[in-house]
Amino acid sequence: MQPKELLALAQEFGCPLYVYDAAKIKSQYDRLKNGFSKVARVRINYAVKALSNVAVLQYMKVIGANLDTVSIQEVRLGLYAGFAPEQIIFTPNGVSFEEIEEAAALGVQINIDNLSVLEHFGTKHPRVPVCIRINPHVMAGGHTNISVGHIDSKFGISIHQMPHLLRIVENTGMHINGIHMHTGSDILDIEVFLYASEILFDAAKHFKTLDFLDFGSGFKVPYKKGDIETDIEEFGQKLSKRFNAFEKEYGRDLTLAFEPGKYIVSEAGFFLAKVNVVKQTTSTVFASIDSGFNHLIRPMFYGSQHAIENISNPKGKERFYSVVGYICETDTFANNRRIAEITEGDILCFRNAGAYCFTMASNYNSRYKPAEVLFKDGKGILIRERETFEDLLRNQILLD
Ligand SMILES: *Cc1c(COP(=O)(O)O)cnc(C)c1O
């Protein structure tokens, strides 16, 4: 999207504001899908937790995506947005047995990631097909908070527990229809992913009635010019070849599944905020915006570096700024960043604000959550109203 279009949306809907570019969501989806055009059956389950607005989910359905969910509430949002239960996979970690049963009763695909639940579920519901989440113990690159396949990770059933897993399946007579891994975000090295895939193929050979192999996600997206990103075309070509060979060897039709979140929506999102104060101190120039980590926590939480542009003055001379929020504790979006000269009242645009931004927003400091807009066919559609004081009070009870 162009700075002019974003500025017009900031004026129309006010700030702070999240904007999602529908065309970019579709082009990322298509790019991933096209990377696997040589595979007969490909299923892309969009990871709802990245951005869960129901209008965005509706749009995911329009472009052909299915859903990956991690809570019963996400399952419900998916159904509300019009997905059929068969289009949803439920991949929770550490949730109650009742929550898994509830999802199964709604007809969604269950994905189980520990042996005790597997045994309990298989005993009680031997006819419900189940996918199992394997932990291949492969260390994907990236941040420790988002790398989930390594040896100490709480996710998945260890590949070393295969004998126990098989005993449970045999004893309960349960039907395993899928096998899954998710090694975490920020995969830099395709070879590492392919290595993990070999572990999944090996695991798959133990089961005779699989319908799908789910390779999770972890596709890296660029945050700034020159950043490394997963080469989807090369990756697609290599994994497709291997998958097709495996399918032949396996002797049964298989679907290749992925569950990307960030890859689909990160770059489609823009966060727009107004500069309230420009403060010159002895050491730096602060630009304080009408937002904080209550709306965009990733810089403080993961140290993520969102590119920031001054869309009110895109051609201005660049100066160095520290961009900070209004929360009453350390609340820094960026330090020492070159940004076109900022005047109070200017609108700043944060890039890569589609994934894990609004969904992690809170009401800390009793602030309202921002509005959300989907930019589609050249115009902005309001898909979430800005909160009001009534929203803050909802569910609170005064003493008599
Ligand atoms: C979070 C999550 C994803 C999505 O990860 P991205 O890095 O956003 O692509 C996929 N699968 C599972 C099981 C997840 O928990």
Side-chain angles (χ1 to χ4, degrees), residues 49 139-150 153-155 182-186 262 298 300-303 360:
K49 75 176 188 285
M139 179 74 183
H143 200 283
T144 48
N145 285 5
I146 52 180
S147 180
V148 295
H150 56 89
S153 165
K154 67 171 181 155
F155 298 97
H182 172 61
T183 54
S185 287
D186 286 2
K262 199 186 276 180
R298 304 188 73 255
M300 291 299 294
F301 196 34
Y302 301 120
M360 288 191 178

Side-chain angles (χ1 to χ4, degrees), residues 47 49 68 70 91 133 180 182 185 217-218 259-262 356:
K49 75 176 188 285
D68 176 64
V70 295
T91 306
R133 178 172 184 172
H180 166 275
H182 172 61
S185 287
S217 180
E259 44 191 38
K262 199 186 276 180
Y356 309 104

Side-chain angles (χ1 to χ4, degrees), residues 225 285 307-310 313-321 336-342:
K225 278 204 179 67
V285 185
I308 303 173
E309 287 153 65
N310 181 359
N313 182 26
K315 300 227 162 68
K317 184 169 179 295
E318 288 188 341
R319 299 187 57 191
F320 285 95
Y321 293 95
N336 235 354
R337 208 54 94 66
R338 283 176 86 114
I339 301 172
E341 181 149 22
I342 299 174

Side-chain angles (χ1 to χ4, degrees), residues 37-280:
S37 55
K38 297 241 158 57
V39 173
R41 284 159 294 275
V42 179
R43 174 170 162 145
I44 296 173
N45 303 316
Y46 165 66
V48 173
K49 75 176 188 285
L51 174 59
S52 57
N53 185 295
V54 289
V56 171
L57 300 185
Q58 280 181 308
Y59 184 66
M60 292 295 171
K61 184 155 187 281
V62 169
I63 64 177
N66 296 281
L67 299 182
D68 176 64
T69 56
V70 295
S71 71
I72 191 71
Q73 290 80 5
E74 285 187 356
V75 171
R76 291 247 178 76
L77 287 177
L79 295 171
Y80 181 81
F83 284 86
E86 315 79 79
Q87 294 176 302
I88 302 177
I89 179 164
F90 182 49
T91 306
N93 172 257
V95 304
S96 72
F97 189 73
E98 292 71 30
E99 187 169 331
I100 294 173
E101 282 187 314
E102 202 179 330
L106 290 170
V108 310
Q109 171 72 50
I110 303 300
N111 189 358
I112 292 181
D113 96 327
N114 70 82
L115 290 178
S116 67
V117 168
L118 189 74
E119 181 156 24
H120 192 181
F121 193 89
T123 307
K124 214 170 154 193
H125 308 282
R127 287 176 203 286
V128 177
V130 165
C131 173
I132 43 178
R133 178 172 184 172
I134 294 294
N135 185 338
H137 300 306
V138 171
M139 179 74 183
H143 200 283
T144 48
N145 285 5
I146 52 180
S147 180
V148 295
H150 56 89
I151 192 94
D152 297 326
S153 165
K154 67 171 181 155
F155 298 97
I157 298 169
S158 167
I159 200 72
H160 306 304
Q161 290 175 307
M162 189 55 85
H164 189 180
L165 196 167
L166 292 172
R167 212 157 56 237
I168 290 171
V169 171
E170 196 172 318
N171 290 345
T172 57
M174 67 193 303
H175 172 195
I176 304 299
N177 68 338
I179 183 165
H180 166 275
M181 69 169 186
H182 172 61
T183 54
S185 287
D186 286 2
I187 288 163
L188 300 176
D189 190 340
I190 291 174
E191 297 307 321
V192 174
F193 197 102
L194 292 172
Y195 173 75
S197 305
E198 290 304 323
I199 297 172
L200 197 73
F201 290 133
D202 276 343
K205 287 179 198 155
H206 292 289
F207 306 93
K208 301 285 167 272
T209 55
L210 296 180
D211 297 320
F212 67 93
L213 303 186
D214 188 331
F215 294 84
S217 180
F219 307 111
K220 192 167 162 51
V221 297
Y223 270 62
K224 55 182 185 308
K225 278 204 179 67
D227 256 8
I228 308 174
E229 66 180 303
T230 309
D231 184 338
I232 292 296
E233 289 71 25
E234 183 193 349
F235 175 63
Q237 201 181 11
K238 288 186 169 164
L239 184 60
S240 297
K241 203 168 154 209
R242 198 48 202 97
F243 182 86
N244 288 337
F246 177 79
E247 187 183 38
K248 216 173 205 173
E249 182 190 338
Y250 189 69
R252 185 180 154 91
D253 283 355
L254 288 170
T255 296
L256 186 162
F258 283 112
E259 44 191 38
K262 199 186 276 180
Y263 184 79
I264 306 286
V265 295
S266 176
E267 293 165 277
F270 303 86
F271 181 58
L272 308 179
K274 195 177 85 196
V275 177
N276 283 333
V277 180
V278 177
K279 182 194 269 187
Q280 172 86 59

